[in-house]
């Protein structure tokens, strides 16, 4: 990771010393809590090097991304009990390819939910719950659990 003045590079350095820090790190990708809003279950998947979007991924980064997103979605499902996991990537504001994923809330879903995340709607935030879910996700990911269970 390089880049003086890059917010995600600076955040990546800080994650090494924070709780919960990186939830998962591969050779090419890092997974952490959502960087802008503590919405429970929302995580950011980012390249560890500067890239300007999916078209700029090298073969190894591209090969890891699909399986990583599937693994994360399954872990979010297990930990939160959500039957749905949203993903989005706009590629604005950072020289790192990044995908955000997580569960909707019961009373706010679809475009309304994503718009709320983008606008950093404080009603979607719950810092204590987000930290608890992040720690549980880190444990799931460290255990390598690949079995999916859904909320009934």
């Amino acid at each position: 990771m390089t880049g003086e003045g890059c917010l995600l590079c600076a955040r990546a350095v800080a994650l090494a010393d924070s709780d919960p820090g990186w939830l998962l790190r591969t050779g090419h990708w890092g997974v952490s809590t959502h960087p802008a809003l503590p919405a429970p279950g929302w995580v950011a998947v980012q390249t560890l090097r500067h890239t300007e979007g999916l078209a700029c991924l090298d073969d190894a980064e591209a090969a890891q991304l699909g399986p990583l997103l599937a693994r994360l979605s399954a872990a979010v499902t297990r930990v939160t009990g959500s039957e749905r996991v949203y993903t989005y990537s706009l590629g604005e504001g950072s020289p790192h390819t990044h995908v955000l994923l997580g569960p909707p809330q019961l009373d706010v879903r679809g475009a309304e939910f994503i718009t709320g995340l983008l606008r950093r709607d404080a009603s979607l935030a719950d810092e204590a719950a987000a930290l608890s879910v992040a720690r549980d996700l880190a444990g799931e990911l460290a255990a390598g659990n690949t079995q999916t269970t859904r909320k009934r």
Side-chain angles (χ1 to χ4, degrees), residues 40 44 46 93 113 148:
Q46 72 177 60
F113 185 83
T148 301

Side-chain angles (χ1 to χ4, degrees), residues 2-151:
T2 60
E4 239 177 85
C6 173
L7 292 176
L8 286 185
C9 283
R11 185 170 185 273
V13 170
L15 285 169
D17 295 324
S18 65
D19 178 23
W22 289 111
L23 306 182
L24 178 69
R25 213 168 143 177
T26 72
H28 304 286
W29 296 92
V31 179
S32 64
T33 58
H34 191 293
L37 188 71
W42 275 84
V43 297
V45 181
Q46 72 177 60
T47 53
L48 296 178
R49 70 178 181 96
H50 285 175
T51 56
E52 293 295 331
L54 295 173
C56 296
L57 299 181
D58 65 28
D59 290 344
E61 290 162 338
Q64 281 188 356
L65 183 58
L68 178 59
L69 292 177
R71 182 177 174 201
L72 289 170
S73 293
V76 168
T77 297
R78 282 189 304 276
V79 169
T80 67
S82 180
E83 294 180 1
R84 174 129 0 241
V85 175
Y86 294 168
T87 59
Y88 77 94
S89 178
L90 301 176
E92 298 293 329
S94 171
H96 292 262
T97 302
H98 57 285
V99 178
L100 301 167
L101 66 92
Q105 293 181 359
L106 292 177
D107 54 341
V108 184
R109 302 181 69 79
E112 181 183 1
F113 185 83
I114 296 299
T115 300
L117 281 176
L118 292 170
R119 290 186 177 159
R120 298 183 178 141
D121 181 342
S123 72
L124 300 176
D126 181 335
E127 200 162 331
L131 180 59
S132 176
V133 169
R135 287 177 177 150
D136 290 348
L137 280 171
E140 280 283 314
L141 295 167
N145 192 347
T146 58
Q147 190 175 37
T148 301
T149 57
R150 293 190 181 266
K151 181 180 175 181

